[in-house]
Amino acid sequence: MTLENQVKGQWAIKEITYSGKSYKDQMYTNALIFRENNEVSIPETFHFKKDKNATWKVLENKNSITINTSTTVFDDTFDVEFINRTENDPLGIILKSDTIYIKAYKLLDFHH
């Protein structure tokens, strides 16, 4: 399965830090949705309105993705790491850059 296919879908953000500080209480929702056509839905936050033009893409030959958005907190290139899971756990993902750390779990994950 390609990285793109693994990343696509809806993710519930469990942890997010920006420059070492938790950012979770700044978000109105905790859903991060990677869609087809390189569209991404980023949570609206206390500081940023919803960016309807946000995009994402997989960087070839690297285990990373880039998100382009006006929401500074999510506008970065992230190393992608998947979390080992037990049979009953949803797939977990860690996205991290120099300033941002996001830990999320896939919603509606039927790939057991």
Side-chain angles (χ1 to χ4, degrees):
M1 188 185 264
T2 64
L3 181 62
E4 184 174 350
N5 284 335
Q6 284 180 288
V7 169
K8 262 184 218 161
Q10 299 182 25
W11 298 87
I13 298 172
K14 296 293 181 206
E15 285 176 49
I16 177 168
T17 58
Y18 181 66
S19 296
K21 296 187 181 78
S22 176
Y23 196 77
K24 197 150 188 240
D25 58 353
Q26 304 291 319
M27 300 188 312
Y28 296 138
T29 64
N30 70 337
L32 184 60
I33 305 167
F34 293 98
R35 296 196 163 89
E36 302 277 343
N37 304 330
N38 298 102
E39 292 173 10
V40 58
S41 287
I42 290 165
E44 192 170 354
T45 71
F46 185 72
H47 303 286
F48 298 99
K49 291 260 179 262
K50 193 153 186 65
D51 178 3
K52 292 182 173 26
N53 300 311
T55 60
W56 70 287
K57 70 173 186 234
V58 169
L59 296 182
E60 295 299 323
N61 305 324
K62 291 188 178 168
N63 216 22
S64 52
I65 62 169
T66 298
I67 297 177
N68 291 303
T69 174
S70 59
T71 306
T72 311
V73 180
F74 291 90
D75 186 58
D76 213 331
T77 296
F78 300 89
D79 289 329
V80 178
E81 183 184 320
F82 292 97
I83 302 167
N84 289 336
R85 58 178 171 168
T86 60
E87 208 172 291
N88 298 323
D89 287 336
L91 180 63
I93 195 171
I94 291 172
L95 302 174
K96 61 183 178 206
S97 71
D98 292 342
T99 50
I100 305 158
Y101 174 90
I102 300 170
K103 183 177 187 180
Y105 289 94
K106 196 152 207 182
L107 298 171
L108 310 171
D109 180 21
F110 301 114
H111 303 288
H112 289 296

